[in-house]
Amino acid sequence: MLMQLGQFTFGLPTLAFSEMQRQLKWRHADNARVGALPGIQYLRPDAEQITLSGCIAPEVGDRRALETLRKMADEGKAYALQDGTGAVYGAYVIESISQTGSHFVAEGVPRKVTFELTLKQTGDERQTDPAGGADDNGSTSQSEGGGWDWWLGGWV
């Protein structure tokens, strides 16, 4: 397991990311002053943003995993995020999903899908969905349908 968002597990059988970018910001307010530069007042840290990117191919991952994450995003709920070592990052919402398909088979199904998933930290851990979201995460295993034929989306 690389990371877990709610009950959705990132890993080789589902969705393995190859890059993780964390963006941290701190908020400062400008206060205008007559005859002097603006005064700067520290407010607080801003919400952290995490971007996970990677590639799905028949050998690694399940192309249906992105659909599971889209359904979680449609719920608009926050999910607990933790990495494979057990470190808890806090409550995060899915802010955006971007995917690009290439290397298409005759039926128009991509053999390679690159993705980028953007998560944003919520200010209140109480917003976290206690059910964890993707309770159907187990249904995205590569063992369903024998491994390679799932790329054809039911065409075999």
Side-chain angles (χ1 to χ4, degrees):
M1 173 183 93
L2 296 172
M3 191 165 272
Q4 190 163 9
L5 180 66
Q7 291 184 17
F8 184 88
T9 303
F10 292 90
L12 293 179
T14 54
L15 192 65
F17 54 89
S18 57
E19 293 182 354
M20 175 180 165
Q21 178 186 15
R22 293 178 74 183
Q23 186 175 27
L24 302 148
K25 295 180 183 178
W26 291 264
R27 296 179 53 200
H28 296 84
D30 291 348
N31 295 315
R33 297 188 295 187
V34 177
L37 291 174
I40 303 294
Q41 181 181 8
Y42 175 71
L43 299 177
R44 65 172 182 83
D46 208 351
E48 180 177 347
Q49 185 173 311
I50 293 179
T51 302
L52 306 174
S53 57
C55 175
I56 308 170
E59 299 83 3
V60 179
D62 185 340
R63 66 183 177 90
R64 296 171 294 184
L66 288 171
E67 179 64 21
T68 300
L69 287 169
R70 187 191 67 75
K71 289 177 183 176
M72 290 172 65
D74 285 346
E75 293 292 320
K77 296 178 181 176
Y79 303 100
L81 181 68
Q82 71 177 44
D83 65 21
T85 68
V88 178
Y89 290 74
Y92 284 76
V93 295
I94 300 172
E95 194 167 57
S96 68
I97 300 173
S98 174
Q99 65 186 71
T100 303
S102 62
H103 300 65
F104 291 87
V105 296
E107 294 81 13
V109 177
R111 287 187 41 82
K112 177 182 175 186
V113 177
T114 57
F115 67 90
E116 188 171 278
L117 173 69
T118 304
L119 307 172
K120 190 170 188 175
Q121 187 178 32
T122 65
D124 187 358
E125 266 72 30
R126 293 175 295 174
Q127 292 177 327
T128 306
D129 180 15
D135 56 356
D136 65 339
N137 190 36
S139 70
T140 61
S141 72
Q142 196 169 346
S143 62
E144 270 183 33
W148 289 83
D149 59 342
W150 57 267
W151 279 95
L152 298 177
W155 289 94
V156 289

